[in-house]
Amino acid sequence: MSVQKIEPDQNPLGTKPVGSLLVEFAIPSIIAMLVSALYNIVDQFLSGIM
C-alpha cells in the first residue's frame, strides 16, 4: 500500500482562510437548505388546499 502526499492546492481546508471557506462551502449549503424548506412549506400549504 502506497501513501499519497496531498498537495496544498488539492486540499484547501488546511490552507485557506476561514472566511473564504465559509463563502465557498457554508453559504451554498445554507441556500440549498432554505430552498428545500421553502419547497416543503409551499408543498404542504398547497396540498392542504386541494
Side-chain angles (χ1 to χ4, degrees):
M1 176 157 74
S2 65
V3 177
Q4 292 181 340
K5 182 177 166 107
I6 298 175
E7 298 296 325
D9 60 337
Q10 291 177 331
N11 184 13
L13 297 178
T15 57
K16 279 190 171 180
V18 174
S20 66
L21 290 172
L22 283 174
V23 171
E24 190 174 344
F25 292 107
I27 292 177
S29 298
I30 292 169
I31 292 170
M33 286 187 287
L34 288 173
V35 168
S36 177
L38 182 63
Y39 172 81
N40 286 327
I41 291 169
V42 171
D43 185 50
Q44 287 295 315
F45 179 73
L46 293 176
S47 67
I49 291 175
M50 296 183 162

